[in-house]
Each structure stands twice: as C-alpha cells, then as structure tokens.
Amino acid sequence: MRPSILRRLLRRVASTAVLGVVAATLSTVGAAQPATAATGLQQVTGFGSNPGNLQMYEYAPAGLPANAPLVIALHGCTQTANDYYTNSGWPKYADLWKFAVVFPQTTSANNSLSCFGWFDPAEDGRGKGEAASIVQMVEHAKQQYGSDGRRVYVTGLSAGGGMTADLLAAYPDVFAGGSVASGLPAQCATSQAAASGCQTGPQKLTPAQWGDKVRGSYPGYSGPWPRVAIWQGTSDYTVYPANATALRDQWTDVWGIGQTPAGTDTLPGNTTRTIYNDSSGKPAVETYSVSGMGHGLPVSPGSGTGQCGSTAAYFLSSICSTYYTGVFWGLDQGAPGGGNPLPAPSGPTVTGVTGSSASLSWGAVTGASSYAVYRNGTEVGRPASTAFTDTGLTAGTAYRYTVAAVDASGATGTLSAAVTATTTGGTGGGACFTATNYAQVAAGRAHTTGGYVYANGSNQNMGLYNVFVTHTLRESPAGYFVIADTGCTA
C-alpha cells in the first residue's frame, strides 16, 4: 500500500480523537457531504496541483473592483463550504464592502469528521498538504479577480480556526490578517494523539515559547506579521477558553508588544473586546470573549449593518463576529468605491488635561467630513472639527489616543501616530522622570521585551529600546510607573 494512502486511512481511523467532543456534543449533525453550490457560490476546479485534496468554492459580488481584498473562510468539523457561506455572514459584507471570498472545503475523504488537519505536520506546514492547497486557491483567486495581494485574510472556526493559526504562522507573507474562532494556537499539536489535549487545555508555555512555534513555521521571516482577532466563548467545552489565552500570548509575543492590553470595552452579545496595540498605536491583536457562549461562530441575525448570519449547528446567536473581524482588518475602509483610504492626520497633540478630561488637536485632512478619535484603541468620539475633549476620565491615569479621518461615505482612513495624555491628580502624587527609553531602562524604571520598552508596574508600551524615543514616567506608588508625557506634576 502506498504511504500516502496508508496515512489517510490512519487519519480516518483515529479521527475520533480530533475534536471528538464535537461529535459527542452535536451528535445530531451528520457527516459532511460535498457542498452544493448555492446561488452565488461556485465551485472552482483546476486551481493547482492540490496536494491536500481539498475542494475550492468562491463567492464574488457584482461590481467587484480591481485590487479589492480577498478573504479565505474555513469551515469547522462536520461542516461544508456551503454551511459557512450560508450562515457566517461573509457574503453580506462581500456585497457591502466589495471583496471576494474563497471557501475551501475538506471532506470525509481526508478526515471522517471533515476536519481540516491543523494537527498534522503533513497538512499544516509551509508547502505541505492542505495548507499548500489553500495557498494555491489564494493565488488562483488573485489572478481571477485581480485581488490586492497585500490585503488577503484568512478566518476559520474550530478545526478551521486551528488551520487558520497554522496558515498565519506558515505564510505570514501571504496573509495580512487572520481571525481564529473557537480555535487553537499555531502548532499546538503535531500529532493526533496530542490534538485532544490541546482542545481541553494547551501546554502551559510562556509567550516566548508560543511565539517560537510561529517563528519556527517560516524560519528567517522577519515581518510584517499578520493582525490577529481571537474569538472565544467562555462556556466552550469543546475547545476550552485556555486556547484563546495561548493564542493571545502567541501573537502578542510575535508582535513584540507584551500581554498588557491597551484597552478593553464591551460589545453586544455579552462580548468583551481586549485590544493590544502595536508600537504605532494600531491594534495588532484583539481578543473577543463572549460570555456564556459555547462552541461555535458568533452570529447575530438581522438586517442592521452590524448584524449578520443565521443560527445553525456551530453558528450561535450573540454578536456578528464577521462584522467586527472585517472592521478590525479594515475591509470597511474605502468601501464601496474601492478607493484609497484617507491619509493619517498629522499629530495629534495634547492641548490640555484636567483630573477628568484630556483635550486634543490634530492637522486637517483634505476630504475628511469628520474624525474618529480612539482612546486605548476604542472609538470615543467623532467630531467634525480638528479638536476634541475626552471627558469622564480617571484622575492620575495615562490614556493613549489616535485619530483617523472619515470621508463622506463613512470610510475610516489611516490611523495617526499615538499620543499619551495623563490626567492630573490621583492618589499618591509621585515623582516624574523624563529620559530616553534607554535611560529609563538603565535607571530601573522600565524593562525590555522583544526590542520594546515597557514601564515597570503598569507595563505600558513605551516604544523601541533606543536613545531616540523619550518619555516622562510618573512613579506612584513606589516602583509603579505610568507614562505621563503631559500633565505630570510631582
């Protein structure tokens, strides 16, 4: 018997160990059948050598412009491409924001539960098996639709989420961003025997060890890295929430930004979003924790712009994850015309602070009808002028602000550089220290991780470890430092 045939037979026999809880939990869901093309969903053949034995389905809206984004959407176990097309909400936003979507499909010929092989080194590595087939689909779609190769994204649920993480690690030069829903960190398991252990509780590795699994997937690659959204239900007993924590640790380490969030906010559907910004203040990693949700993709049926999808097995009513993922990737920018987003405003600068407010101003952008102001990554205002006062703040606290221009269609442009404002007052006062990042570390007020500097105590990201970046730190209480570039008084 040929080794390739033997390997596939072994995978089918052992597949009950892979996301086996899925079968036990949703025993009413039958084995997946090949997708039948729904209206608008078309099968593509001859897209490449297809070493992973996958099927390719695609959807493209009418009037798709050249240089539009491309999204790859991976179904979960026991599902089909048509299931994901019908229930996930991706076609709605493809129509609204103008991009093409590819829905790869695996079948019981590869795995008895139709799971993507996120646990199999012969399937999930660079140039290997299913991963290579998916990248061939990307190349075919780019040629077919004239897609922008700089804006290719991948998303997936459960086993599709695990494969998504593996693809981001193995092909960071192909994918600008990813979204992992109820999935696993990249290279969590390298055998079927280890797969179930990852689902119920991944290895207790440090962020650097998780990051090494990504860096080892494409040795020598130095960036840029994909921006990653992580979706997880707190009551998921198929892929436990510990996997979301491991994913967070993995991708924040790859980005070199630490695990201290820039901001946290509350979204619909009992969802908590936590944001981890890069050195320019732009979200690089976001986690979305859906309270009380089990194993599945969050959807929110309805006709509103932020609503999508339909409920079905593994498609759970709470929040439209597809909408928030698309906005995180910037798919809504420039729609529907497909033009370039507005440039970043110059600045911003802090013009004043009180114990409960911070005032900002920035340079005007031609073509802007308003400006979106973000505090710690969350939008807090949309003024028509080039000035804004943020209120209701906590005394003696540092806040990080960025601004983007918004055009008449509502498309948000490029984020500005970040500025930090520290409100006055607070308890404990504290001494202020202004110095370069290098000197702050040398003086014991900050520390380095992955080439970046973080304030001791607060762990706020101060930027690159060098003598060219200067910050003011306030110490309060002893040994606890916060960025206080403005409003710092002893």
Side-chain angles (χ1 to χ4, degrees):
M1 182 177 293
R2 291 187 341 203
S4 61
I5 298 176
L6 177 60
R7 177 171 58 82
R8 292 202 179 276
L9 288 174
L10 289 173
R11 289 176 62 193
R12 295 181 65 180
V13 170
S15 61
T16 54
V18 182
L19 295 175
V21 182
V22 171
T25 304
L26 292 172
S27 59
T28 59
V29 179
Q33 300 299 319
T36 57
T39 302
L41 182 66
Q42 302 295 327
Q43 185 171 8
V44 177
T45 59
F47 58 85
S49 61
N50 193 17
N53 190 35
L54 299 181
Q55 297 171 2
M56 177 180 177
Y57 292 83
E58 64 183 11
Y59 174 75
L64 180 68
N67 295 314
L70 174 66
V71 172
I72 312 300
L74 304 175
H75 64 76
C77 294
T78 77
Q79 294 180 332
T80 66
N82 190 49
D83 292 333
Y84 222 66
Y85 168 84
T86 301
N87 299 304
S88 67
W90 279 110
K92 171 177 179 172
Y93 297 107
D95 289 338
L96 180 64
W97 296 333
K98 299 301 182 187
F99 57 86
V101 189
V102 170
F103 296 88
Q105 178 174 279
T106 187
T107 68
S108 57
N110 283 9
N111 178 279
S112 64
L113 293 178
S114 296
C115 304
F116 286 102
W118 60 272
F119 50 86
D120 188 345
E123 303 294 343
D124 65 4
R126 188 174 178 89
K128 301 292 183 64
E130 293 177 355
S133 289
I134 292 168
V135 172
Q136 288 179 356
M137 296 180 197
V138 170
E139 294 305 316
H140 185 279
K142 285 165 56 179
Q143 292 295 321
Q144 180 180 2
Y145 296 116
S147 303
D148 185 349
R150 300 165 301 175
R151 293 189 293 165
V152 179
Y153 306 91
V154 60
T155 180
L157 166 64
S158 191
M163 180 60 82
T164 292
D166 288 340
L167 285 166
L168 294 173
Y171 292 98
D173 52 333
V174 172
F175 299 104
S179 180
V180 181
S182 299
L184 300 304
Q187 297 302 318
C188 183
T190 55
S191 70
Q192 287 196 337
S196 294
C198 281
Q199 293 167 224
T200 57
Q203 306 169 61
K204 290 179 172 57
L205 302 181
T206 66
Q209 289 171 321
W210 281 119
D212 285 344
K213 288 181 177 288
V214 172
R215 289 181 284 268
S217 297
Y218 186 12
Y221 182 77
S222 59
W225 294 104
R227 299 182 184 274
V228 183
I230 301 159
W231 291 86
Q232 181 70 49
T234 63
S235 298
D236 188 341
Y237 302 114
T238 298
V239 175
Y240 279 42
N243 286 280
T245 302
L247 277 160
R248 188 260 339 246
D249 289 352
Q250 184 171 66
W251 289 100
T252 53
D253 179 79
V254 168
W255 274 87
I257 57 178
Q259 289 73 54
T260 300
T264 300
D265 60 352
T266 301
L267 301 178
N270 297 317
T271 303
T272 300
R273 173 172 58 185
T274 306
I275 303 162
Y276 302 84
N277 288 343
D278 63 16
S279 58
S280 69
K282 183 178 180 180
V285 178
E286 291 189 349
T287 64
Y288 300 78
S289 177
V290 186
S291 179
M293 192 186 78
H295 186 67
L297 182 75
V299 297
S300 178
S303 58
T305 300
Q307 293 179 290
C308 73
S310 55
T311 56
Y314 302 127
F315 297 96
L316 308 179
S317 182
S318 56
I319 181 175
C320 176
S321 58
T322 298
Y323 169 77
Y324 286 94
T325 293
V327 171
F328 171 62
W329 289 340
L331 296 180
D332 60 325
Q333 296 183 13
N340 294 324
L342 292 175
S346 58
T349 59
V350 178
T351 58
V353 291
T354 69
S356 61
S357 68
S359 297
L360 312 170
S361 67
W362 53 88
V365 173
T366 301
S369 61
S370 63
Y371 297 87
V373 181
Y374 299 88
R375 181 210 310 142
N376 296 339
T378 300
E379 185 174 340
V380 293
R382 190 165 286 210
S385 66
T386 57
F388 176 74
T389 297
D390 191 19
T391 59
L393 307 179
T394 301
T397 303
Y399 296 95
R400 189 179 180 89
Y401 291 92
T402 52
V403 181
V406 182
D407 67 19
S409 73
T412 304
T414 305
L415 278 175
S416 70
V419 66
T420 300
T422 302
T423 51
T424 59
T427 58
C432 299
F433 305 89
T434 301
T436 67
N437 279 356
Y438 179 85
Q440 297 282 23
V441 172
R445 296 185 287 267
H447 59 280
T448 64
T449 300
Y452 289 87
V453 176
Y454 298 86
N456 288 345
S458 69
N459 274 327
Q460 291 176 307
N461 190 333
M462 299 167 58
L464 292 171
Y465 180 43
N466 57 39
V467 297
F468 304 108
V469 179
T470 296
H471 281 294
T472 298
L473 296 180
R474 185 180 67 245
E475 183 179 20
S476 179
Y480 189 96
F481 297 87
V482 298
I483 299 174
D485 291 338
T486 61
C488 188
T489 56

